[in-house]
Amino acid sequence: MKYKRKYSHLFFDLDNTLWDFSANSYDAMKSAFTRVDWQLSKTEFDLFFYAYSENNRMLWDEYRKGNVLKKELVSLRFQKTFDELRIKGIDPLEMNDIYLEEMPRQTRLVNGAESVLEYLKNRGYEMFIITNGFTQVQHKKLESAGIRKYFKKVFISEEILAPKPAREIFEYALKSANAPKVRSIMIGDDYESDIRGALDFGIDAVYINSHKDNNNSLFSEGFNFRNLLFRINSLSEIPEIV
């Protein structure tokens, strides 16, 4: 790559950067339906999961903006989906509780995640997690997937009261990690939360474009960030940058 800088502190997003949120959430939801004794065919379940995912994404966007509270998010993401698909007889809060119990039991990692983390650990990098999400779930995900050992500290939006891309969560994390901005880099798959948040705060960033989308807004001349922005297609390319 054209640009190369020696980093010492690596800040990772968790969901869909290291922990395979897409696959794990699908499996967790199937397990949750089994526990509430509600039978859906594969087609029906896939339709439900798609509708839920869209509602969840929309509500998380509103949560990050401060327009929705946690207690509203966890209920509405299921209630809206049940209403849209005319599913009756399941309490949305009960479903949410069961789903959140099942989520951290899922252990699929993004392809190559553990080998990359092991390589970086052996090279002496200090590694951290900055993640949006609920405390009760995010810590358990790291433990059950066997990757907590790689990270010195974990910074969770619910604990810090500032979700990415807010400047406050990045500032808190770097200060707590005693990390110089010029030797720190954020690695994530979410364009707005991870990448824009890091660049706005003033640290370099790596965008893992695993879905190979064509969103080039951050790479256009309209954005004059002073920090470096790398775009890669898989986690395995991280050692080429750091």
Side-chain angles (χ1 to χ4, degrees), residues 13-15 19 70 100-101 103-107 109 128-160 169 172:
D13 170 53
L14 179 58
D15 292 333
W19 192 80
K70 174 187 174 181
L100 291 185
E101 287 176 9
M103 278 289 274
R105 294 174 180 168
Q106 313 307 314
T107 59
L109 295 173
F128 308 85
I129 293 286
I130 303 179
T131 177
N132 285 346
F134 303 138
T135 301
Q136 70 190 87
V137 177
Q138 300 301 76
H139 282 300
K140 290 178 182 178
K141 287 179 184 176
L142 288 162
E143 294 290 348
S144 63
I147 58 173
R148 178 62 183 86
K149 61 186 177 183
Y150 295 109
F151 302 101
K152 294 191 70 173
K153 292 184 178 181
V154 178
F155 304 102
I156 302 175
S157 62
E158 186 180 23
E159 295 177 337
I160 299 168
I169 191 169
Y172 182 95

Side-chain angles (χ1 to χ4, degrees), residues 37-100:
D37 196 26
W38 193 274
Q39 301 300 316
L40 294 175
S41 69
K42 185 180 186 307
T43 300
E44 290 171 332
F45 178 78
D46 287 347
L47 179 63
F48 174 88
F49 188 74
Y50 175 80
Y52 165 82
S53 298
E54 288 298 299
N55 285 321
N56 188 52
R57 179 190 58 77
M58 178 193 69
L59 287 163
W60 267 101
D61 285 344
E62 293 301 306
Y63 177 77
R64 285 191 288 267
K65 296 173 185 175
N67 298 331
V68 172
L69 300 175
K70 174 187 174 181
K71 63 181 181 180
E72 295 172 319
L73 186 156
V74 298
S75 175
L76 284 174
R77 60 185 180 177
F78 283 101
Q79 187 61 65
K80 287 172 68 69
T81 307
F82 292 155
D83 291 344
E84 288 171 15
L85 301 180
R86 299 181 181 179
I87 293 175
K88 299 183 183 299
I90 307 178
D91 180 80
L93 287 176
E94 178 188 4
M95 188 69 176
N96 182 77
D97 289 344
I98 295 172
Y99 172 65
L100 291 185

Side-chain angles (χ1 to χ4, degrees), residues 160-208:
I160 299 168
L161 303 179
K164 294 179 294 183
R167 179 184 183 87
E168 289 81 2
I169 191 169
F170 292 97
E171 185 172 25
Y172 182 95
L174 265 71
K175 283 184 177 179
S176 180
N178 196 26
K181 274 189 172 184
V182 295
R183 302 196 69 195
S184 299
I185 192 165
M186 178 70 199
I187 301 162
D189 73 296
D190 190 291
Y191 215 67
E192 293 297 322
S193 295
D194 301 322
I195 307 310
R196 190 183 297 277
L199 294 175
D200 281 340
F201 175 64
I203 60 174
D204 294 354
V206 180
Y207 174 45
I208 305 176

